[in-house]
Structure formats: structure tokens, C-alpha cells
Amino acid sequence: MMPTLLANVAATWFLVGLIWMVQVVHYAQFDGVGADGWASYHTRHTRNITLIVGPAMLVELVSAIALIWLAPKGVPVWMIWAGLGGVAVLWLSTALVQVPMHNTLATGFDAAIGRRLVLTNWLRTAVWTGRGVLVLWMLKCAFDNVRA
């Protein structure tokens, strides 16, 4: 169904914009916070970013799974599975790579961990950007089918 795809497109593109802002602006400023303010800054960052990213990631995940059964006509099955694979990579990277680094940074700023966080976060930035292109292609396929 089209509403499921639209929810997936909306959540994905919200997250594409968010990940680019985090990658290029937010993470790049970590080393300028300073040791004295780091603990409270990082606590606020992790709490606030979770409130923003958590619901969007859940909508993206649930709608990507739902598309297995509710894909609009005209959307190739391989696109659905590729999109779900991208979501799996994003969740695994977040849980196994980025969250542990944030947990380490919660104890105090470490420039090497900060650089590694920025570097490894490029994977999520690339995958979300690729998913963004893919879901727009899926939307085009669905609209082409409606017009046919």
C-alpha cells in the first residue's frame, strides 16, 4: 500500500537529513566542547538525539518490514529486500559500533574515540543516503504503475 511506502520515504529522508547534520556539523564540534563541560554536554546530546532519532528509526524499521507484505504494485521485490538490508546495516552499526563509542565518551572525552566515531559514522551516512535514493526510486516505480 502507498501509505506504508510514504511512511518509509518520510522516515528515511528525515534520517538522511539528520545523519548529514550530525556527521558534518555536530560530531565535528565534539572536540571544541572542552573537558570541563564534556560530561553534561554528552549526557544532553545522547538524551536529546535519542528523542529525535529513536521514533524515526522505529518508523523506518516497521515500515520497511511492512513493505514485505504491503508494497505497492510496481515496486520490485528486490528493492524491498535491499531497503530492509540497509535498515539492518544501520541498526547493527548503531548498536555495535556507534553506541559503544558513545558509552566510552560518556566517561570523558577521548579525541581518538571521537575521530573513530566520525570515521565509522560515514558508513551510516552513506547507507542512509543510499536508502534515500532507493526509497525515492521505489516511489517512482509505484507512481509509474498507477499512471500505467
Side-chain angles (χ1 to χ4, degrees):
M1 293 174 87
M2 195 67 81
T4 306
L5 179 56
L6 291 174
N8 195 246
V9 170
T12 298
W13 273 99
F14 175 83
L15 289 162
V16 169
L18 182 62
I19 197 70
W20 275 98
M21 188 282 305
V22 166
Q23 181 68 16
V24 175
V25 177
H26 195 65
Y27 281 177
Q29 296 181 41
F30 273 10
D31 61 355
V33 174
D36 292 341
W38 177 258
S40 64
Y41 173 83
H42 190 265
T43 298
R44 283 191 321 272
H45 160 76
T46 53
R47 181 187 61 236
N48 294 341
I49 201 72
T50 301
L51 292 173
I52 295 169
V53 77
M57 283 182 72
L58 286 173
V59 169
E60 183 183 43
L61 173 65
V62 170
S63 60
I65 292 169
L67 283 171
I68 295 168
W69 298 280
L70 300 173
K73 288 184 179 12
V75 176
V77 172
W78 72 265
M79 288 183 175
I80 303 299
W81 288 104
L84 190 54
V87 171
V89 168
L90 291 163
W91 278 76
L92 287 170
S93 178
T94 300
L96 300 176
V97 180
Q98 281 74 37
V99 168
M101 280 191 253
H102 273 289
N103 290 341
T104 300
L105 289 171
T107 64
F109 183 71
D110 179 321
I113 298 290
R115 283 189 301 274
R116 196 168 351 160
L117 178 64
V118 171
L119 183 63
T120 61
N121 199 56
W122 279 113
L123 171 66
R124 292 193 309 169
T125 304
V127 172
W128 256 313
T129 302
R131 266 196 49 75
V133 171
L134 179 66
V135 297
L136 288 179
W137 190 6
M138 291 165 62
L139 196 57
K140 179 194 180 308
C141 291
F143 280 127
D144 285 351
N145 186 71
V146 169
R147 290 190 314 199

